[in-house]
C-alpha cells in the first residue's frame, strides 16, 4: 500500500499553531478576511499586467516598465496569501486532506507561482508596447492558472 | 409596508426557496461574487496605489481612470448582480445580520467617496496627471477607498458567521438593537 500523507496532515492540525487557530473563535475568520484582502491585491497586481499583455487596460504603457513597477506588490500579495493560507490550512489540515478542491489548489498553486516568477516574468520584461502571440498566450496561461487556484480555493469551503 | 414585510414576502417566493435550497447554484453565484473581487477591488486598489503615489508613479493617473476603470466598473456590476441574487436566497437572515448592515454602511461610504472623487477631484486631473504624488484630495480619496472597500470585504466575509444571530440569545442589547431583532415578550 502506498504510504498515506494523512499522518502528516494530522500532525499539522495537532501542532500548537494549528490548535491555536482552530480553537479560537475569532482567529480563523480574521485570517480568512486577510486572505480575501490578499486575493484582491493579488488579483489586481496579476490582472493589470495580464490585461496589458493581452492588449487591454493600460495599453499605452511599455510592458517592461509596468511589470517592473507592479512586481514588488505582486510579491507582497503572494507572500500575504501564502502565509495566511498556511495558517488556515494548519487549523483544518485533516478536512483539507479529504477535500478534492484542496488538492486541485495544491496542484495548481505551485504551477501558478512557478510560471509567474519564471516564464511570465521573462515575457513581461519585453520592452515597448509588445502584444505578440507569445505575450498573449503567456497572459492567458497566467489568468487560467490563477483562476483555477482561486476557484478551487473558494470551493474548499463548499465541498466538505 | 415595512422593509421586513417585503423581505418576508421575498423569502417565501419560489425563487428564494429554490436558490436557498440549491446544491450548486448558490455556491456557483457565491464563487463568482468572491472571484470578482480580483477584478473589482483588485483594479480599484491599483488606482488607489497610484493616487497615493506609492506604485506605478511613472504611469499618468488618467491612464488608470480612462483605461482601467471600465474593468473596475465591469467587476462592480458583476458583484452587484451576484450580490443581489445571493441576498434573495435568505433575505431575512441578511436583514437581521449585524455584519451585513455594517457592510451596507461601508458600501455607502465607499460609494460616496467614488462620487466625490469623480465629481470634485477627477476633473482637475489634467493639473496633476503625471505628478508622482497627486494632490491631497486625491490621496485622501485613495485612503478612504482602500479602508472602505477593505471593510466591505471583511464585513462581507463575516456575514457567514452567526455569532450575533438574533436566534442565538442572549445577545448584548446593542446587538439586538442594531440588528432589529424581534424578541419574544419577557
Amino acid at each position: 500500500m502506498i504510504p498515506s500523507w494523512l499522518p502528516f496532515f494530522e500532525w499539522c492540525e495537532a501542532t500548537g499553531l494549528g490548535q491555536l487557530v482552530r480553537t479560537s473563535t475569532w482567529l480563523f475568520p480574521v485570517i480568512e478576511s486577510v486572505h480575501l484582502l490578499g486575493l484582491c491585491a493579488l488579483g489586481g497586481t496579476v490582472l493589470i499586467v495580464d490585461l496589458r499583455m493581452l492588449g487591454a487596460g493600460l495599453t499605452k504603457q511599455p510592458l517592461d516598465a509596468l511589470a517592473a513597477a507592479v512586481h514588488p506588490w505582486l510579491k507582497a500579495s503572494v507572500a500575504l496569501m501564502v502565509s495566511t493560507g498556511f495558517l488556515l490550512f494548519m487549523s483544518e489540515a485533516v478536512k483539507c486532506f479529504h477535500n478534492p478542491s484542496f488538492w486541485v489548489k495544491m496542484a495548481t498553486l505551485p504551477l501558478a507561482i512557478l510560471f509567474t516568477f519564471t516564464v511570465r516574468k521573462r515575457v513581461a520584461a519585453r520592452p515597448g508596447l509588445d502584444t505578440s502571440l507569445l505575450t498573449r498566450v503567456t497572459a492567458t496561461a497566467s489568468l487560467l492558472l490563477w483562476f483555477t487556484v482561486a476557484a478551487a480555493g473558494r470551493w474548499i469551503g463548499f465541498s466538505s | 409596508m415595512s422593509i421586513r414585510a417585503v423581505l418576508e414576502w421575498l423569502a417565501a417566493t419560489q425563487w428564494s426557496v429554490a436558490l436557498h435550497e440549491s446544491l450548486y447554484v448558490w455556491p456557483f453565484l457565491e464563487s463568482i461574487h468572491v472571484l470578482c473581487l480580483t477584478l473589482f477591488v483588485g483594479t480599484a486598489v491599483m488606482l488607489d496605489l497610484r493616487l497615493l503615489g506609492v506604485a506605478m508613479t511613472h504611469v499618468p493617473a488618467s491612464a488608470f481612470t480612462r483605461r482601467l476603470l471600465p474593468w473596475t466598473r465591469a467587476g462592480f456590476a458583476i458583484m452587484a448582480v451576484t450580490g443581489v441574487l445571493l441576498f434573495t436566497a435568505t433575505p431575512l437572515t441578511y436583514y437581521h445580520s449585524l455584519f451585513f448592515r455594517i457592510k451596507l454602511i461601508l458600501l455607502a461610504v465607499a460609494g460616496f467617496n467614488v462620487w466625490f472623487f469623480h465629481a470634485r477631484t477627477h476633473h482637475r486631473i489634467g493639473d496633476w496627471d503625471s505628478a508622482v504624488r497627486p494632490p491631497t484630495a486625491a490621496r485622501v480619496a485613495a485612503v478612504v477607498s482602500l479602508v472602505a472597500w477593505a471593510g466591505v470585504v471583511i464585513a462581507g466575509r463575516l456575514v457567514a458567521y452567526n455569532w450575533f444571530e438574533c436566534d442565538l440569545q442572549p445577545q448584548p442589547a446593542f446587538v439586538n438593537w442594531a440588528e432589529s431583532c424581534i424578541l419574544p415578550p419577557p
Side-chain angles (χ1 to χ4, degrees), chain A residues 24-151:
Chain A
S24 155
T25 307
W26 289 89
L27 223 39
F28 190 93
V30 167
I31 298 169
E32 208 180 19
S33 297
V34 178
H35 197 61
L36 265 184
L37 295 177
L39 173 74
C40 299
L42 179 62
T45 52
V46 167
L47 274 170
I48 197 168
V49 175
D50 278 348
L51 285 174
R52 164 62 192 79
M53 291 168 89
L54 288 168
L58 302 175
T59 47
K60 303 252 171 67
Q61 303 308 313
L63 180 54
D64 54 344
L66 182 66
V70 172
H71 200 69
W73 298 90
L74 172 68
K75 279 196 290 189
S77 306
V78 171
L80 182 64
M81 289 302 269
V82 170
S83 50
T84 50
F86 172 75
L87 292 172
L88 296 172
F89 162 76
M90 291 297 273
S91 76
E92 49 172 31
V94 175
K95 178 193 142 181
C96 290
F97 179 82
H98 296 291
N99 192 311
S101 299
F102 171 79
W103 292 103
V104 173
K105 183 170 185 179
M106 286 309 108
T108 47
L109 176 60
L111 273 179
I113 292 177
L114 194 68
F115 183 79
T116 301
F117 291 98
T118 56
V119 177
R120 183 174 174 275
K121 191 170 179 233
R122 285 191 61 177
V123 174
R126 293 181 157 205
L129 303 180
D130 175 71
T131 49
S132 62
L133 182 63
L134 175 67
T135 301
R136 282 178 282 135
V137 168
T138 304
T140 308
S142 163
L143 287 175
L144 285 175
L145 277 169
W146 285 116
F147 171 79
T148 311
V149 173

